Amino acid sequence: MSTISIIGSGGMAAAIGGLAAMPGPTVEVISRDAAKARAMAEQVGAGAKTGTFGAAPAGDIIILAVPYAAVLDVVTQYGDELAGKLLVDITNPINADFTGFVTPEDSFGAQEIAKAAPADADVVKAFNTQFSHVLAAGRVEGHPLDVFLAGDDAQAKARVVAFVESLGLRPMDSGPLPMARTLENLALLSLGLVAHSVNHTNFSLGVSLHP
């Protein structure tokens, strides 16, 4: 992969961009706010560049690192510029009081994004179950963080798996795109743990493999 495009300039964009810059691919940062994009590119370093919001992203993989409340508008505004692209959905469509979701009962966030995207775009859910500062650290006591992912296209998932591995993280394929609903519930579980038992965000969800 030669270029990774990140649409967004928040904590998750910084975390993924910072990790992506280390292995070598060029990182393109895109934001509605050009000044924020420039600042993020400087923060990421390693030759990161900025793109123009709404223009065709340069990346082989496009990270949708904006809040769910904005992501459908972003995808719709880009329109055919996303045709044939691989879109990585990292969003969580969780309501303001962290008790449920803002998506229709018969749907989930990644599915709504797939509906808004061009028909030939591939959507893979990933990165949504880790807090940004934990993700930015990359490894805990020498162990890579788990990145759960879900998607329908095997080739698209293989590309995301390779990308995750290039970041020094461990990809965990959970199945087809409808499994993204479960991954969004995992994010809700994390917020419930923060509110009711753990009381901080310095933890990660992962899999411990036993012989």
Side-chain angles (χ1 to χ4, degrees):
M1 60 194 73
S2 57
T3 303
I4 303 298
S5 293
I6 302 174
I7 302 177
S9 55
M12 286 296 287
I16 296 172
L19 291 173
M22 289 187 238
T26 300
V27 176
E28 178 187 50
V29 181
I30 305 168
S31 174
R32 291 182 189 273
D33 187 325
K36 286 185 177 180
R38 288 193 296 271
M40 179 68 70
E42 291 176 3
Q43 178 182 338
V44 169
K49 59 184 180 180
T50 60
T52 302
F53 186 86
D60 304 308
I61 295 176
I62 301 168
I63 312 293
L64 299 175
V66 296
Y68 182 77
V71 72
L72 298 182
D73 285 341
V74 168
V75 171
T76 300
Q77 181 168 341
Y78 269 87
D80 289 342
E81 299 293 357
L82 300 179
K85 296 286 189 175
L86 171 49
L87 310 180
V88 179
D89 166 31
I90 73 169
T91 69
N92 285 305
I94 296 172
N95 62 24
D97 58 4
F98 305 146
T99 59
F101 299 99
V102 298
T103 45
E105 289 187 7
D106 62 347
S107 188
F108 51 95
Q111 180 168 278
E112 293 301 302
I113 290 172
K115 289 178 183 177
D120 61 348
D122 291 310
V123 176
V124 175
K125 189 82 173 186
F127 296 102
N128 73 299
T129 62
Q130 303 291 0
F131 295 106
S132 61
H133 64 285
V134 175
L135 183 65
R139 300 176 74 89
V140 178
E141 297 180 346
H143 298 289
L145 292 176
D146 286 337
V147 175
F148 300 108
L149 58 102
D152 287 334
D153 186 88
Q155 184 177 11
K157 281 200 294 185
R159 293 170 64 196
V160 176
V161 163
F163 173 59
V164 171
E165 290 176 337
S166 78
L167 304 183
L169 309 174
R170 184 170 70 165
M172 298 294 285
D173 185 353
S174 66
L177 194 64
M179 283 298 292
R181 183 197 300 271
T182 300
L183 300 187
E184 291 165 8
N185 272 285
L186 278 181
L188 185 61
L189 171 64
S190 290
L191 294 173
L193 292 173
V194 170
H196 300 288
S197 60
V198 179
N199 300 318
H200 61 74
T201 59
N202 295 321
F203 68 94
S204 63
L205 299 181
V207 176
S208 180
L209 300 175
H210 298 278

